[in-house]
Short mmCIF file of all heavy atoms in Angstrom, two decimals:
data_model
loop_
_atom_site.label_atom_id
_atom_site.label_comp_id
_atom_site.label_asym_id
_atom_site.label_seq_id
_atom_site.Cartn_x
_atom_site.Cartn_y
_atom_site.Cartn_z
N ASP A 877 -21.31 -4.14 14.69
CA ASP A 877 -22.30 -5.21 14.75
C ASP A 877 -21.86 -6.45 13.95
O ASP A 877 -22.66 -7.35 13.73
CB ASP A 877 -23.66 -4.72 14.25
CG ASP A 877 -23.64 -4.31 12.78
OD1 ASP A 877 -22.56 -4.36 12.15
OD2 ASP A 877 -24.70 -3.93 12.27
N ARG A 878 -20.60 -6.45 13.52
CA ARG A 878 -19.95 -7.55 12.80
C ARG A 878 -20.42 -7.73 11.36
O ARG A 878 -20.09 -8.71 10.72
CB ARG A 878 -20.02 -8.86 13.57
CG ARG A 878 -19.35 -8.76 14.94
CD ARG A 878 -19.11 -10.13 15.54
NE ARG A 878 -18.73 -10.04 16.93
CZ ARG A 878 -17.51 -9.84 17.38
NH1 ARG A 878 -16.53 -9.68 16.56
NH2 ARG A 878 -17.27 -9.81 18.68
N THR A 879 -21.21 -6.80 10.84
CA THR A 879 -21.52 -6.84 9.41
C THR A 879 -20.29 -6.34 8.66
O THR A 879 -19.42 -5.66 9.24
CB THR A 879 -22.74 -5.97 9.06
OG1 THR A 879 -22.46 -4.62 9.44
CG2 THR A 879 -24.00 -6.47 9.74
N GLN A 880 -20.21 -6.67 7.37
CA GLN A 880 -19.03 -6.29 6.59
C GLN A 880 -19.42 -5.67 5.26
O GLN A 880 -20.46 -5.99 4.69
CB GLN A 880 -18.16 -7.52 6.31
CG GLN A 880 -17.53 -8.12 7.53
CD GLN A 880 -16.64 -9.30 7.19
OE1 GLN A 880 -16.87 -10.01 6.22
NE2 GLN A 880 -15.61 -9.50 7.99
N THR A 881 -18.55 -4.79 4.78
CA THR A 881 -18.64 -4.22 3.45
C THR A 881 -17.31 -4.49 2.77
O THR A 881 -16.26 -4.27 3.36
CB THR A 881 -18.90 -2.70 3.49
OG1 THR A 881 -20.10 -2.45 4.21
CG2 THR A 881 -19.00 -2.11 2.10
N THR A 882 -17.36 -4.96 1.52
CA THR A 882 -16.14 -5.28 0.78
C THR A 882 -16.11 -4.50 -0.53
O THR A 882 -17.12 -4.41 -1.22
CB THR A 882 -16.06 -6.79 0.48
OG1 THR A 882 -16.12 -7.49 1.72
CG2 THR A 882 -14.78 -7.15 -0.22
N ARG A 883 -14.95 -3.93 -0.85
CA ARG A 883 -14.74 -3.23 -2.11
C ARG A 883 -13.40 -3.70 -2.68
O ARG A 883 -12.47 -4.00 -1.94
CB ARG A 883 -14.67 -1.71 -1.92
CG ARG A 883 -15.96 -1.09 -1.43
CD ARG A 883 -17.02 -1.12 -2.52
NE ARG A 883 -18.25 -0.47 -2.10
CZ ARG A 883 -19.28 -1.08 -1.52
NH1 ARG A 883 -19.22 -2.37 -1.26
NH2 ARG A 883 -20.35 -0.41 -1.19
N SER A 884 -13.32 -3.75 -4.01
CA SER A 884 -12.06 -4.15 -4.65
C SER A 884 -11.80 -3.30 -5.87
O SER A 884 -12.70 -2.68 -6.43
CB SER A 884 -12.11 -5.63 -5.02
OG SER A 884 -13.08 -5.86 -6.02
N ARG A 885 -10.55 -3.29 -6.29
CA ARG A 885 -10.13 -2.54 -7.47
C ARG A 885 -8.92 -3.24 -8.07
O ARG A 885 -8.03 -3.69 -7.36
CB ARG A 885 -9.76 -1.11 -7.09
CG ARG A 885 -9.27 -0.30 -8.27
CD ARG A 885 -9.17 1.18 -7.98
NE ARG A 885 -10.50 1.66 -7.58
CZ ARG A 885 -10.69 2.67 -6.75
NH1 ARG A 885 -9.67 3.30 -6.24
NH2 ARG A 885 -11.89 3.06 -6.44
N THR A 886 -8.89 -3.30 -9.39
CA THR A 886 -7.74 -3.84 -10.11
C THR A 886 -6.89 -2.65 -10.56
O THR A 886 -7.40 -1.72 -11.18
CB THR A 886 -8.19 -4.66 -11.34
OG1 THR A 886 -9.02 -5.72 -10.88
CG2 THR A 886 -7.00 -5.23 -12.07
N LEU A 887 -5.60 -2.69 -10.26
CA LEU A 887 -4.71 -1.60 -10.64
C LEU A 887 -4.47 -1.63 -12.15
O LEU A 887 -4.50 -2.69 -12.78
CB LEU A 887 -3.38 -1.73 -9.90
CG LEU A 887 -3.47 -1.67 -8.38
CD1 LEU A 887 -2.08 -1.84 -7.76
CD2 LEU A 887 -4.08 -0.36 -7.93
N ALA A 888 -4.18 -0.45 -12.72
CA ALA A 888 -3.95 -0.34 -14.15
C ALA A 888 -2.68 -1.07 -14.59
O ALA A 888 -2.61 -1.61 -15.69
CB ALA A 888 -3.87 1.13 -14.55
N GLU A 889 -1.68 -1.07 -13.71
CA GLU A 889 -0.43 -1.78 -14.02
C GLU A 889 0.12 -2.38 -12.74
O GLU A 889 -0.18 -1.91 -11.65
CB GLU A 889 0.58 -0.85 -14.68
CG GLU A 889 1.16 0.21 -13.77
CD GLU A 889 2.25 1.03 -14.45
OE1 GLU A 889 2.30 1.09 -15.68
OE2 GLU A 889 3.06 1.61 -13.72
N PRO A 890 0.94 -3.42 -12.86
CA PRO A 890 1.53 -4.04 -11.67
C PRO A 890 2.37 -3.03 -10.88
O PRO A 890 2.98 -2.14 -11.47
CB PRO A 890 2.41 -5.15 -12.23
CG PRO A 890 1.92 -5.38 -13.61
CD PRO A 890 1.37 -4.09 -14.09
N THR A 891 2.38 -3.18 -9.56
CA THR A 891 3.20 -2.31 -8.73
C THR A 891 3.65 -3.05 -7.48
O THR A 891 2.97 -3.95 -7.00
CB THR A 891 2.44 -1.03 -8.33
OG1 THR A 891 3.36 -0.16 -7.64
CG2 THR A 891 1.26 -1.32 -7.42
N ALA A 892 4.81 -2.66 -7.01
CA ALA A 892 5.32 -3.12 -5.71
C ALA A 892 5.59 -1.91 -4.84
O ALA A 892 6.28 -1.99 -3.84
CB ALA A 892 6.60 -3.94 -5.90
N HIS A 893 5.05 -0.77 -5.24
CA HIS A 893 5.31 0.50 -4.57
C HIS A 893 4.28 0.71 -3.46
O HIS A 893 3.08 0.89 -3.72
CB HIS A 893 5.25 1.62 -5.60
CG HIS A 893 5.78 2.92 -5.14
ND1 HIS A 893 6.95 3.06 -4.43
CD2 HIS A 893 5.29 4.17 -5.28
CE1 HIS A 893 7.16 4.31 -4.16
NE2 HIS A 893 6.16 5.01 -4.67
N THR A 894 4.73 0.68 -2.22
CA THR A 894 3.84 0.76 -1.07
C THR A 894 2.91 1.98 -1.11
O THR A 894 1.72 1.84 -0.83
CB THR A 894 4.67 0.73 0.23
OG1 THR A 894 5.45 -0.46 0.24
CG2 THR A 894 3.79 0.77 1.46
N PRO A 895 3.41 3.19 -1.43
CA PRO A 895 2.49 4.34 -1.47
C PRO A 895 1.36 4.17 -2.49
O PRO A 895 0.24 4.61 -2.25
CB PRO A 895 3.40 5.52 -1.85
CG PRO A 895 4.73 5.12 -1.32
CD PRO A 895 4.81 3.62 -1.55
N ALA A 896 1.62 3.52 -3.61
CA ALA A 896 0.57 3.29 -4.61
C ALA A 896 -0.49 2.34 -4.06
O ALA A 896 -1.70 2.56 -4.24
CB ALA A 896 1.17 2.73 -5.89
N LEU A 897 -0.06 1.30 -3.37
CA LEU A 897 -1.00 0.36 -2.77
C LEU A 897 -1.80 1.02 -1.65
O LEU A 897 -3.01 0.83 -1.53
CB LEU A 897 -0.26 -0.88 -2.26
CG LEU A 897 0.44 -1.71 -3.33
CD1 LEU A 897 1.31 -2.78 -2.69
CD2 LEU A 897 -0.55 -2.32 -4.29
N GLY A 898 -1.11 1.81 -0.83
CA GLY A 898 -1.79 2.51 0.26
C GLY A 898 -2.80 3.52 -0.25
O GLY A 898 -3.89 3.66 0.30
N ALA A 899 -2.44 4.24 -1.32
CA ALA A 899 -3.35 5.23 -1.90
C ALA A 899 -4.61 4.54 -2.43
O ALA A 899 -5.72 5.05 -2.27
CB ALA A 899 -2.66 6.01 -3.01
N THR A 900 -4.45 3.38 -3.04
CA THR A 900 -5.60 2.64 -3.54
C THR A 900 -6.50 2.22 -2.38
O THR A 900 -7.73 2.33 -2.47
CB THR A 900 -5.15 1.41 -4.35
OG1 THR A 900 -4.32 1.85 -5.42
CG2 THR A 900 -6.34 0.65 -4.90
N GLY A 901 -5.91 1.77 -1.29
CA GLY A 901 -6.69 1.39 -0.11
C GLY A 901 -7.46 2.57 0.45
O GLY A 901 -8.64 2.47 0.81
N ARG A 902 -6.80 3.74 0.52
CA ARG A 902 -7.48 4.95 1.02
C ARG A 902 -8.61 5.37 0.10
O ARG A 902 -9.67 5.79 0.56
CB ARG A 902 -6.47 6.09 1.20
CG ARG A 902 -5.61 5.94 2.45
CD ARG A 902 -4.78 7.17 2.71
NE ARG A 902 -3.83 7.46 1.66
CZ ARG A 902 -2.65 6.88 1.50
NH1 ARG A 902 -2.27 5.96 2.36
NH2 ARG A 902 -1.85 7.21 0.52
N GLU A 903 -8.41 5.25 -1.23
CA GLU A 903 -9.47 5.59 -2.18
C GLU A 903 -10.68 4.67 -1.98
O GLU A 903 -11.83 5.14 -2.02
CB GLU A 903 -8.96 5.46 -3.61
CG GLU A 903 -7.99 6.54 -4.02
CD GLU A 903 -7.33 6.25 -5.36
OE1 GLU A 903 -7.76 5.32 -6.07
OE2 GLU A 903 -6.37 6.95 -5.69
N LEU A 904 -10.43 3.39 -1.79
CA LEU A 904 -11.53 2.45 -1.56
C LEU A 904 -12.29 2.80 -0.29
O LEU A 904 -13.52 2.79 -0.26
CB LEU A 904 -11.01 1.02 -1.48
CG LEU A 904 -10.51 0.41 -2.78
CD1 LEU A 904 -9.80 -0.91 -2.52
CD2 LEU A 904 -11.67 0.21 -3.75
N LEU A 905 -11.56 3.12 0.78
CA LEU A 905 -12.20 3.47 2.04
C LEU A 905 -12.99 4.77 1.90
O LEU A 905 -14.13 4.86 2.36
CB LEU A 905 -11.14 3.60 3.14
CG LEU A 905 -11.66 3.90 4.54
CD1 LEU A 905 -12.61 2.82 5.03
CD2 LEU A 905 -10.49 4.05 5.51
#
Side-chain angles (χ1 to χ4, degrees):
D877 63 357
R878 300 195 192 275
T879 60
Q880 293 182 330
T881 301
T882 302
R883 296 289 183 268
S884 65
R885 178 168 302 150
T886 300
L887 299 179
E889 70 175 22
T891 187
H893 193 44
T894 303
L897 297 171
T900 302
R902 283 189 298 279
E903 288 170 11
L904 289 170
L905 183 60

